[in-house]
């Protein structure tokens, strides 16, 4: 499977009371990867929501990724996204198997991406590129780094952080395969607007 397109990421606060409605709206517009990102410690709710998202993703042929939690990903037989403090990649690959999608946060550091590639990452994520409502304190990353990454890496490249329909085009021009978006997608006033935005993000990637 070619990892290119919109990478939708959920947010428990933003999607409170409308998680499945807004996620399904995004899936209708086209989502390559959906990440379940919930920073709470309510294990029962996390399992319930992740199972519901897995079932929804199956209907739309979208791959589900669990943020931070390789054990939960293994339980649901889906992928995982690991940051630099979320545990090592090699055991996660052993746990999830060779076909699982495993992503790695690399901030603005090519060395981290080279290391992730060696350890079996499926894609590498750089960011943040713009001001982010969801994670304002994340370290910043430049478009120039994307040029270097495109030359040196043979993995799909994901960009994250403050991405909207108005600022995403340069990221694609600099070689990004996956646009990872929270607010720029799910911050919409209606489900219909989420679908419209998802379609528009995918149009940007059709180059
Ligand atoms: C696609 C993608 N890229 C980066 C991140 C950030 O991961 P991390 O640094 O572990 O931060 P948290 O999201 O866990 O707060 C991500 N989740 N997804
Ligand atoms: C979860 C996350 N990680 C980032 C990083 O730079 O690693 S930025 C970010 C937040 C992405 O949400 P939004 O699209 O609302 O800015
Ligand atoms: Mg993390």
């Amino acid at each position: 499977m070619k990892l290119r397109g919109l990478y939708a990421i959920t947010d428990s606060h933003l999607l409170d009371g409308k998680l499945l409605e807004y996620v399904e709206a995004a899936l209708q517009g086209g989502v390559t990867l959906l990440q379940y990102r919930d920073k709470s410690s309510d294990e029962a709710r996390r399992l319930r929501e992740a199972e519901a998202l897995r079932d929804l993703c199956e209907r739309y042929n979208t791959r589900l990724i669990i943020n931070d939690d390789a054990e939960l990903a293994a339980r649901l037989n889906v992928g995982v996204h690991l940051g630099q403090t979320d545990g090592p990649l090699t055991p996660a690959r052993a746990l999830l198997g060779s076909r699982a999608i495993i992503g790695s946060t690399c901030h603005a550091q090519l060395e981290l991406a080279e290391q992730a590639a060696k350890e079996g990452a499926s894609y590498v994520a750089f960011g943040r590129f713009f001001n982010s409502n969801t994670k304002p304190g994340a370290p910043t990353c430049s478009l120039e780094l994307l040029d270097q990454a495109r030359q040196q890496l043979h993995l799909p490249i994901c960009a994250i952080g403050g991405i909207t329909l108005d600022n995403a085009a340069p990221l694609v021009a600099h070689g990004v395969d996956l646009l990872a978006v929270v607010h720029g997608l799910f911050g919409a006033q209606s489900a219909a607007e989420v679908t419209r935005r998802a379609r528009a993000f995918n149009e940007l990637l059709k180059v």
Side-chain angles (χ1 to χ4, degrees), residues 7 9-11 14 35 37 39 67 81 83 105-108 125-141 159-164 180-187:
Y7 188 167
I9 303 183
T10 68
D11 179 285
L14 191 60
Q35 182 182 125
R37 182 171 181 272
K39 306 300 280 187
N67 189 42
H81 182 93
T105 299
C106 301
H107 301 298
F126 296 105
R128 77 184 146 88
F129 285 91
F130 307 105
N131 292 335
S132 168
N133 285 320
T134 309
K135 204 162 179 179
T140 57
C141 186
I160 190 167
I163 298 173
T164 66
V181 189
V182 181
H183 254 83
L185 178 67
F186 290 123

Side-chain angles (χ1 to χ4, degrees), residues 36 43 45-51 54 66-80 95-96:
Y36 176 57
E43 297 299 326
R45 184 170 57 82
R46 282 166 55 76
L47 177 60
R48 204 172 53 242
E49 290 185 345
E51 278 177 339
R54 180 196 54 190
I66 305 291
N67 189 42
D68 293 342
D69 190 342
E71 302 289 332
L72 180 56
R75 189 162 172 180
L76 298 185
N77 196 23
V78 298
V80 71
L95 179 68
L96 298 178

